[in-house]
Amino acid sequence: MSPVVLAVGTIGHGELSSDQFREASRCSTCHGIIHSQWDGSMHSNAYIDPFYQKELQVASEDTEGSIDEFCLRCHTPIGVTSGEAPGGELSEVSREGVQCDICHSVSGNAGIGSASAPFILSPGNVQRGPLKESKSTYHETRYSKLHTKSEFCGMCHYVNNSNGVLVDDTYKVWKNSSYSAEGTQCQDCHMSPGVTSFESNPGRSASGAPKRDHISLHYFEGANAFVTDILDEETHRRRAIERLKKAAAMNIKSPSNASENEYVGLEVLVTNSGAGHKIPTGVSEIRQMWLEVSVTDDNGKQIYHAGNIDKQGDIKPGIQVFNTVLGDGNGNPTMKFWNAESILSDDRIPPKETVVQKHNFSIPEGVEYPVYVNVKLQYRSAPQDVIDDLFGKGTHEVPVINMAEKSSRINDPDAPPGEPSMPGFGANILILMFSVLIIVHYRKYR
Ligand code: HEC
Ligand code: HEC
Ligand code: HEC
Ligand code: HEC
Ligand code: HEC
């Protein structure tokens, strides 16, 4: 039984030939800027991605190869529709993963959710895109409304496994969010400089083409600072980190005073302020987002520490990780999403929503005030032990990205009033005002 369920009208395995598609280098002569943005993106690396390749191998061994076509359909659509994959020798254009000519040959959507990757393809001389009046001597052009809508992305960013478990719900969550209601598409945040909303990018889409108010960006960065690092894609790695830093807002609620031996309850509020889907999204059973909370006294003595990473690279147990946990046939947690039969838990943060995480600790005797609270929202693309199992221990360290950081302090309630033990808030404001004055002065009389 093939796990690939195809929608009526879509193109199946081996129905096309790879020479019906042109390599990205053929487009770069005229679309040089767009090409340089796409080149190095996770789309351009969707097939060669070493993490994907390792997971594919595990999935393939697990299912005696029956899953391969399903996985490959999104990661090398030309490979599968040309019949080169699975099993055969892949041409250059198939190895380019999600590339120019495949995306711009999409001529329809056969129904997201009805089947796997329901794109309808019409390869040939017509390039379909967002421009209503555009002319090229190299190819024909055709306006495609689909390319300007989330449905275009949703055909691949919505993954139902063969048991019918929705393992990637990015499109669906967006569809049910206020972003969709307001008309904000994936393209507005992922193909414009705005990151969390639309911002125009004036320019030319091809050499010699007219100047336009907006040309879409093709970096397609998400949150992947791990594989982009392995593949030395520095621009895309940096952009992923910048994007992660714009996704969430954080606040701490802690008492301003607490005496020795007093029990302190700390609340950390995390809001998904910038993403049109849950954070994290995509293969969210593999991604990890969590809070690291550190409390120290004025001598730097650790009072409380949660969410730190131990020597093995594991997150210290006991903290909630904001991701999904999938269940296998016996209801046990599994990261093998192709086998999953249920979703055991989903602790991700929906768009515009806030979650509260509580931490409790007590102020030890003999503490040196003030007590400092530091909270970091951390993200990494995969748990270290998963990567160690796949690649061998010591091969790749998964980078931890700091998405947001906040600090607060707790003072001695018995300290005489007006005599803070450190330059307090007031003093900080004064220092800040002084520096502002100095800067203004410098600017004026330079
Ligand atoms: C993942 C699919 C995808 C890939 C890969 C892709 N594009 Fe696009 N491209 C789009 C979408 C979607 C739009 C329209 C976005 C919008 O509405 O802002 C677009 C827009 C364009 C445009 C119109 C310019 C404009 O004003 O925005 C050109 C030209 C273009 N792409 C060329 C290319 C070339 C060349 C490549 C390869 C180097 C490429 N694309 C790769 C999806 C893709
Ligand atoms: C000889 C130069 C040249 C080459 C090579 C070329 N294009 Fe274009 N393309 C253009 C020009 C010029 C336009 C019109 C741009 C405009 O009006 O702003 C264009 C427009 C487009 C559009 C916009 C269509 C629309 O209606 O929105 C897409 C998509 C596109 N090209 C994709 C590609 C892809 C994919 C390749 C490689 C297979 C490619 N082009 C190769 C010159 C070229
Ligand atoms: C033909 C299928 C396909 C289409 C259409 C598609 N994508 Fe993707 N996209 C993928 C695959 C596969 C990956 C994962 C590649 C990898 O990590 O190996 C990916 C990765 C990404 C990433 C990077 C994720 C990360 O973790 O960094 C972003 C962002 C993204 N896509 C956005 C979009 C947007 C926006 C659109 C619509 C304009 C779109 N994609 C259309 C298949 C597709
Ligand atoms: C309001 C802006 C916004 C919209 C709309 C939006 N995104 Fe995102 N996207 C973000 C931000 C910010 C991040 C980084 C935080 C994160 O990883 O979730 C992100 C991350 C991602 C990632 C990487 C996820 C991960 O954690 O590995 C993918 C894939 C992605 N987006 C795809 C999409 C698709 C597909 C759509 C449309 C269905 C979409 N996005 C709509 C802002 C947006
Ligand atoms: C319907 C399209 C689709 C299918 C089918 C699919 N994927 Fe993906 N895959 C994606 C998209 C989109 C992403 C990007 C989401 C993200 O970054 O979190 C992705 C990301 C991944 C990643 C993360 C890569 C990285 O660099 O972090 C792995 C691993 C992966 N897929 C493996 C597989 C395997 C194995 C299968 C088959 C069991 C499979 N995929 C089937 C669309 C698909």
Side-chain angles (χ1 to χ4, degrees):
M1 187 200 74
S2 161
V4 188
V5 182
L6 288 183
V8 179
T10 53
I11 292 171
H13 182 256
E15 288 182 39
L16 299 172
S17 146
S18 63
D19 53 25
Q20 287 177 269
F21 296 93
R22 276 151 296 187
E23 283 115 26
S25 58
R26 302 269 292 275
C27 320
S28 69
T29 355
C30 304
H31 299 292
I33 296 173
I34 291 179
H35 179 272
S36 69
Q37 296 170 345
W38 165 83
D39 192 17
S41 68
M42 289 315 297
H43 280 155
S44 74
N45 290 313
Y47 175 71
I48 64 163
D49 177 345
F51 182 24
Y52 162 71
Q53 283 292 341
K54 289 279 186 196
E55 283 277 297
L56 174 65
Q57 204 183 324
V58 176
S60 183
E61 282 163 13
D62 230 36
T63 59
E64 294 169 344
S66 71
I67 199 85
D68 298 19
E69 187 190 322
F70 169 74
C71 306
L72 288 155
R73 192 170 161 82
C74 293
H75 287 261
T76 169
I78 299 179
V80 169
T81 52
S82 69
E84 291 173 355
E89 183 77 32
L90 263 68
S91 57
E92 179 57 29
V93 73
S94 296
R95 292 177 59 84
E96 287 178 345
V98 182
Q99 54 92 275
C100 321
D101 212 4
I102 190 87
C103 279
H104 290 290
S105 295
V106 169
S107 55
N109 161 19
I112 297 172
S114 68
S116 179
F119 45 74
I120 299 171
L121 295 174
S122 306
N125 199 37
V126 182
Q127 295 297 335
R128 290 164 172 81
L131 304 177
K132 286 193 169 131
E133 292 157 44
S134 81
K135 280 198 173 55
S136 152
T137 47
Y138 181 71
H139 55 72
E140 288 173 47
T141 56
R142 189 165 302 161
Y143 171 68
S144 160
K145 195 177 171 194
L146 177 60
H147 281 74
T148 67
K149 301 284 178 204
S150 292
E151 283 63 37
F152 176 80
C153 318
M155 289 186 278
C156 296
H157 287 264
Y158 181 96
V159 189
N160 253 314
N161 75 3
S162 53
N163 298 320
V165 177
L166 187 55
V167 290
D168 181 344
D169 62 4
T170 308
Y171 168 76
K172 188 180 176 190
V173 171
W174 168 84
K175 182 75 191 153
N176 295 329
S177 74
S178 60
Y179 290 100
S180 155
E182 289 158 6
T184 303
Q185 313 294 320
C186 316
Q187 287 85 338
D188 292 331
C189 294
H190 284 282
M191 298 186 78
S192 94
V195 177
T196 57
S197 61
F198 177 79
E199 222 174 78
S200 69
N201 171 49
R204 293 176 211 279
S205 76
S207 39
K211 202 154 195 276
R212 295 185 181 275
D213 295 342
H214 174 65
I215 306 297
S216 24
L217 297 180
H218 278 69
Y219 294 103
F220 297 111
E221 81 279 3
N224 208 325
F226 171 51
V227 173
T228 47
D229 189 30
I230 298 179
L231 297 174
D232 252 338
E233 309 288 12
E234 183 48 28
T235 305
H236 295 81
R237 186 188 72 87
R238 203 170 25 79
R239 291 185 68 97
I241 294 173
E242 283 166 17
R243 174 171 291 272
L244 277 169
K245 287 187 184 293
K246 291 188 179 144
M250 197 165 62
N251 264 309
I252 316 178
K253 276 190 197 164
S254 73
S256 48
N257 305 304
S259 9
E260 290 178 20
N261 294 323
E262 197 178 319
Y263 213 51
V264 175
L266 182 78
E267 284 188 356
V268 186
L269 289 77
V270 188
T271 305
N272 173 353
S273 53
H277 36 70
K278 293 188 181 178
I279 50 171
T281 194
V283 289
S284 48
E285 66 287 353
I286 297 177
R287 311 298 189 211
Q288 293 184 311
M289 186 174 89
W290 74 99
L291 289 171
E292 178 173 350
V293 179
S294 167
V295 182
T296 50
D297 79 357
D298 199 37
N299 287 333
K301 198 169 160 253
Q302 193 87 53
I303 294 172
Y304 175 80
H305 206 180
N308 47 312
I309 293 202
D310 67 17
K311 283 202 186 72
Q312 271 69 48
D314 297 328
I315 303 171
K316 195 167 84 182
I319 194 135
Q320 168 197 26
V321 176
F322 304 109
N323 64 1
T324 44
V325 180
L326 302 176
D328 65 13
N330 299 318
N332 295 319
T334 180
M335 282 199 197
K336 297 179 170 183
F337 56 88
W338 50 91
N339 281 338
E341 293 193 11
S342 63
I343 296 172
L344 297 179
S345 63
D346 181 354
D347 287 335
R348 297 171 298 160
I349 311 177
K352 303 251 174 87
E353 281 187 25
T354 301
V355 298
V356 182
Q357 197 177 80
K358 290 185 176 154
H359 291 262
N360 296 302
F361 54 89
S362 61
I363 307 280
E365 229 159 284
V367 70
E368 194 66 45
Y369 283 99
V371 167
Y372 296 98
V373 177
N374 176 268
V375 184
K376 291 190 182 115
L377 181 65
Q378 309 283 50
Y379 176 95
R380 67 178 176 184
S381 293
Q384 187 63 47
D385 60 346
V386 168
I387 297 305
D388 289 349
D389 285 350
L390 292 174
F391 292 89
K393 219 174 160 58
T395 312
H396 299 300
E397 192 185 328
V398 187
V400 175
I401 311 301
N402 179 204
M403 295 174 69
E405 185 166 0
K406 272 270 152 74
S407 300
S408 71
R409 57 205 246 166
I410 301 169
N411 294 314
D412 183 358
D414 302 326
E419 264 179 59
S421 42
M422 278 276 290
F425 191 60
N428 281 339
I429 294 259
L430 269 181
I431 291 168
L432 191 74
M433 276 167 67
F434 263 119
S435 37
V436 171
L437 279 176
I438 290 165
I439 291 167
V440 169
H441 186 83
Y442 177 76
R443 284 257 165 92
K444 263 192 169 158
Y445 302 104
R446 186 160 50 140

